[in-house]
């Protein structure tokens, strides 16, 4: 079973994304912000990461940079799921190491389609 780390400061988004992924057969762990996400990624290995951009303590782009600095996460798919749609932030996300960028509100079917693309069975 593929394990996905969902990082978002919104409990309702974590619940909705978690429910969507779990019903599709993914194991899901979650975190409230980038720092907690980094701590969880260090504590256990995950196959993919889905992160928000705007979070307290550590934002999504800083989280991606920190995660990519860890040898075990240099090739792990990292998707950004955010309300931010600016091209400038997307460029910063790609430069930090984001695999993809999705804008909220999310479509559960599109999310699963993207997850299957980045995490083939």
């Amino acid at each position: 079973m593929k394990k996905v780390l969902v990082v978002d400061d919104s409990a309702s988004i974590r619940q909705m994304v978690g429910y969507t992924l779990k019903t599709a057969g993914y194991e899901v762990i979650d975190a409230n912000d980038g720092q907690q996400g980094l701590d969880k990624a260090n504590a256990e290995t995950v196959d993919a990461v889905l992160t928000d951009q705007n979070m307290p303590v550590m934002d999504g782009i800083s989280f991606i940079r920190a995660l990519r600095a860890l040898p075990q996460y240099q090739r792990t798919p990292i998707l950004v799921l955010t309300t931010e749609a600016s091209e400038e932030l997307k460029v910063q996300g790609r430069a930090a190491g984001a695999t993809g960028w999705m804008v909220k509100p999310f479509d559960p079917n599109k999310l699963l389609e993207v997850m299957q693309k980045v995490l083939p069975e």
Side-chain angles (χ1 to χ4, degrees):
M1 182 181 288
K2 303 281 185 177
K3 188 185 296 184
V4 180
L5 171 61
V6 176
V7 184
D8 199 305
D9 60 330
S10 165
S12 60
I13 291 292
R14 288 194 313 273
Q15 285 177 335
M16 288 189 294
V17 170
Y19 175 79
T20 299
L21 294 174
K22 286 176 185 173
T23 56
Y26 294 97
E27 180 180 347
V28 176
I29 59 173
D30 62 20
N32 298 330
D33 59 58
Q35 184 58 58
Q36 190 179 58
L38 197 57
D39 293 343
K40 288 197 173 184
N42 272 315
E44 46 188 306
T45 301
V46 299
D47 300 298
V49 176
L50 192 63
T51 183
D52 188 12
Q53 163 52 23
N54 298 318
M55 299 179 287
V57 185
M58 180 187 289
D59 66 36
I61 290 175
S62 299
F63 168 60
I64 293 168
R65 282 192 194 109
L67 203 56
R68 287 291 188 217
L70 301 173
Q72 68 269 35
Y73 289 108
Q74 290 182 352
R75 297 193 180 276
T76 302
I78 302 175
L79 302 171
V80 179
L81 178 63
T82 181
T83 56
E84 299 286 347
S86 82
E87 194 57 38
E88 182 182 336
L89 266 178
K90 290 179 185 177
V91 168
Q92 289 178 25
R94 279 193 294 271
T99 308
W101 192 281
M102 297 171 47
V103 177
K104 295 175 186 172
F106 78 98
D107 173 349
N109 291 327
K110 180 69 176 171
L111 175 63
L112 292 177
E113 182 181 307
V114 171
M115 290 305 293
Q116 288 170 353
K117 212 177 275 187
V118 299
L119 271 182
E121 293 182 34

